[in-house]
Amino acid sequence: MTDSSMDYLPTPCGAIAVMDETGRWVPFSLRENPYNPVYSLFYGTRQEEALRPDANYLLCVPTSALTIGHTYSARLLGAPLHFGGSDEHTEAVSGTLRGYSIAIGAYDPNDEEKIRQAVQRLAAGEAVEPYDESSFIGYTLERLADCGGFSFRLLDRSMAEILFAVAYVQNGRAAPSEYEAAVEFWTT
C-alpha cells in the first residue's frame, strides 16, 4: 500500500495522525515496511503459531511539510497505549484494543549522542538532562507522556522524511501481551 498523501491512517484500534502544536493534521504517505519477518508465537512449550501482521507500514512524514523548530506529534487518537520496548535506537508504544494489538515505533537519530552525553555527565556527577542539542541532527524525539505516540521537533532538513513504523495484528488464542510483543518486534 502506498498513498501519496493522507491525513490519518485508520486502524482497527483507532486513527493514527501526525499533528502540529495547534492540532492541525500534517499529511504523510505510507510504504510497506520491508522489515516483515514471521514472528513465532508459543503456547507453552508444544504449540507454535507463525504470525504475520495484518498491516505493517512506514508512516512517512516529509520534512518539507514541517517547520524547523516546531513540535509535532505522531499518535494513536483516542485510545490508550503503553511503553512497548526499545532496541537499536528505536522505541515503541503498544496496546491492545477491540481484539487487535498495535504498535507505533520511532527511530531516534540522536540516541548515540544522548548516550554519550549521559555517560559523560554521570561520570562528572551531573544530572543527565537536559541534553545539549547543539550536536543533534535531523529531529528530536520523545515518547508522549501518555505513551499514545511520539513528539518530535524538526532541527534541520538533513533528512528528507521522518519515519514511524506502524503494525497491528488481530489477537487469537494467546494472551494479548504475546501479540503486543509481536507488533513491538516489527516496529523496533
Side-chain angles (χ1 to χ4, degrees):
M1 172 182 195
T2 301
D3 189 314
S4 60
S5 183
M6 57 195 317
D7 290 331
Y8 67 95
L9 171 63
T11 77
C13 302
I16 297 173
V18 177
M19 297 175 286
D20 69 11
E21 297 162 317
T22 67
R24 182 183 65 84
W25 291 12
V26 176
F28 57 86
S29 62
L30 289 180
R31 288 195 301 263
E32 293 290 333
N33 189 345
Y35 185 72
N36 197 17
V38 171
Y39 184 83
S40 295
L41 194 65
F42 291 91
Y43 301 100
T45 58
R46 296 184 185 192
Q47 295 177 319
E48 182 179 325
E49 180 182 346
L51 193 61
R52 288 246 184 231
D54 293 347
N56 190 359
Y57 301 122
L58 293 176
L59 188 151
C60 311
V61 183
T63 58
S64 62
L66 306 175
T67 302
I68 292 175
H70 285 212
T71 300
Y72 301 87
S73 65
R75 66 165 42 248
L76 179 64
L77 302 173
L81 297 176
H82 55 81
F83 174 73
S86 61
D87 189 29
E88 299 298 324
H89 315 302
T90 61
E91 187 173 327
V93 293
S94 64
T96 299
L97 305 119
R98 297 187 271 291
Y100 284 82
S101 291
I102 188 167
I104 303 170
Y107 171 75
D108 186 345
N110 299 296
D111 195 46
E112 283 289 327
E113 178 59 19
K114 288 177 181 177
I115 292 168
R116 187 192 69 73
Q117 288 183 27
V119 168
Q120 185 178 27
R121 289 179 178 178
L122 288 171
E126 300 171 3
V128 171
E129 294 186 30
Y131 295 109
D132 173 8
E133 296 181 358
S134 64
S135 56
F136 281 14
I137 59 166
Y139 56 93
T140 64
L141 180 76
E142 296 293 329
R143 181 174 8 103
L144 294 172
D146 68 359
C147 292
F150 298 90
S151 69
F152 59 100
R153 184 169 34 89
L154 187 65
L155 298 174
D156 59 47
R157 298 204 191 280
S158 61
M159 299 172 184
E161 57 191 5
I162 299 172
L163 305 176
F164 296 91
V166 175
Y168 58 85
V169 65
Q170 188 171 19
N171 288 196
R173 296 181 298 154
S177 61
E178 297 295 327
Y179 296 96
E180 289 176 17
V183 292
E184 292 160 11
F185 171 72
W186 293 310
T187 57
T188 55

